[in-house]
Amino acid sequence: MPLTSQLQTAGLRATPKRLAIGGLLFDGVDRHVTADDVADMARKAGIKVSLATVYNTLNQFVAAGILKRIILDTDRTYFDTNVSDHHHLFYETSGDLLDVPGDSLRIEGLPAAPEGARVRAVEVVIRMSGTPVSTGSTAG
Amino acid sequence: MPLTSQLQTAGLRATPKRLAIGGLLFDGVDRHVTADDVADMARKAGIKVSLATVYNTLNQFVAAGILKRIILDTDRTYFDTNVSDHHHLFYETSGDLLDVPGDSLRIEGLPAAPEGARVRAVEVVIRMSGTPVSTGSTAG
DNA sequence: AATTATTTTAGAACAATTCTACACTGGGCT
DNA sequence: AGCCCAGTGTAGAATTGTTCTAAAATAATT
């Protein structure tokens, strides 16, 4: 689905800033970015956008379901362009962050949700020390 | 092991403040607390301690391995008196936080750690919507 | 008691994020 | 084309959890 339609479905206008930021993020590659990363990417791409707008836009994308918030760290928020159910391998020393496909892990023994509650998500973070295999990884 | 020895093992003096904060936390009940919670508990118990000391002490306890940092949320850090391997059930609406024993979940398909890296921890957070069963839970 | 190392503290500093309040846009209407 | 106006974008202030700083207090050591 094109970004324009995704935005409209979520009740957001397909404005130039949103399309520009979306264009940086949704190019087919899975990315893990912080708001600052996005601001830098925009600056390098010659897109003039304020940090407030970066934050607003990322939050709107999350609300629209086209971006995912990942919680790994108390002092920065990562956003993931891969919105499918999946997990993360986090190299704490380097900050590298790799996706682990949701269906590659099988979790048994999950407690049943009590009456009136629902499992929204099951998130697995594998925290690693040392360094990842040296590939041009999907680093964060 | 008594707190005094645990502190000494970690190279920390068993000072009155540390013993007092430790006494509030390590009373046999598993607790999830924020720094603010601890400051409040101390105030209510008549222990005069600055917020800076609460932070210092909690961080030292984590370094000493007698307290665990849990990352669930970008805007506050939770500390867990249960330092064994285990997971969390987090009720996002109420903020309730329940422990899930480590051995009650079986995770299959974990990727092998590459050469030079090591799995430090596998953390599972089950995010729930709705409300937990009404017990006097180990809320956070 | 004097000396030295460690701890505690108040308050300043910091950094990520959100808020505020105003300026700007651009699509719909004549 | 020109006018509206709701929605959008922005700078800078505000907020908040946490850490830092530098000085005062305490504890250990001689």
Side-chain angles (χ1 to χ4, degrees), chain A residues 1-15 18-19 26 61 64-66:
Chain A
M1 182 156 48
L3 183 55
T4 300
S5 332
Q6 291 189 287
L7 292 174
Q8 281 163 357
T9 304
L12 294 170
R13 277 198 210 155
T15 65
R18 287 183 189 143
L19 293 172
F26 308 119
F61 284 4
I66 62 181

Side-chain angles (χ1 to χ4, degrees), chain B residues 12-13 15 17-18 48-50 52-53 56:
Chain B
L12 293 170
R13 292 218 287 237
T15 64
K17 296 290 158 79
R18 287 182 188 141
K48 199 177 152 298
V49 65
S50 76
T53 297
N56 289 341

Side-chain angles (χ1 to χ4, degrees), chain A residues 16 35 51-52 55 59 75-77:
Chain A
L51 188 56
Y55 274 104
N59 287 332
D75 40 77
R76 48 174 102 285
T77 298

Side-chain angles (χ1 to χ4, degrees), chain B residues 9 35 52 57 62 70 73 77 79 82 84 90 111 129 133:
Chain B
T9 303
T57 303
V62 170
I70 334 175
D73 204 306
T77 298
F79 295 90
N82 178 352
S84 72
F90 186 42
S129 57
V133 275

Side-chain angles (χ1 to χ4, degrees), chain B residues 66-120:
Chain B
I66 60 180
L67 194 64
K68 207 172 174 180
R69 193 186 299 277
I70 334 175
I71 298 172
L72 286 173
D73 204 306
T74 9
D75 39 78
R76 47 175 104 282
T77 298
Y78 290 88
F79 295 90
D80 193 338
T81 60
N82 178 352
V83 293
S84 72
D85 273 347
H86 68 281
H87 307 294
H88 292 100
L89 199 62
F90 186 42
Y91 283 85
E92 298 196 308
T93 30
S94 65
D96 280 287
L97 181 57
L98 302 173
D99 280 353
V100 176
D103 57 15
S104 78
L105 289 189
R106 202 167 30 267
I107 304 168
E108 281 167 36
L110 283 174
E115 190 82 28
R118 208 183 91 251
V119 174
R120 252 204 358 82

Side-chain angles (χ1 to χ4, degrees), chain A residues 55-135:
Chain A
Y55 274 104
N56 289 340
T57 304
L58 294 176
N59 287 332
Q60 290 156 353
F61 284 4
V62 170
I66 62 181
L67 193 63
K68 207 172 172 181
R69 193 185 300 274
I70 334 175
I71 297 172
L72 285 174
D73 204 304
T74 9
D75 40 77
R76 48 174 102 285
T77 298
Y78 291 88
F79 295 90
D80 193 338
T81 60
N82 178 352
V83 293
S84 72
D85 273 348
H86 68 282
H87 307 293
H88 292 99
L89 200 62
F90 186 42
Y91 284 86
E92 298 196 309
T93 30
S94 65
D96 279 288
L97 181 57
L98 302 174
D99 279 353
V100 177
D103 57 14
S104 78
L105 289 189
R106 201 170 27 268
I107 304 167
E108 279 166 38
L110 283 174
E115 190 82 27
R118 209 183 92 252
V119 174
R120 252 205 357 84
V122 176
E123 295 173 357
V124 179
V125 177
I126 307 168
R127 293 182 185 271
M128 307 289 290
S129 56
T131 48
V133 275
S134 50
T135 73

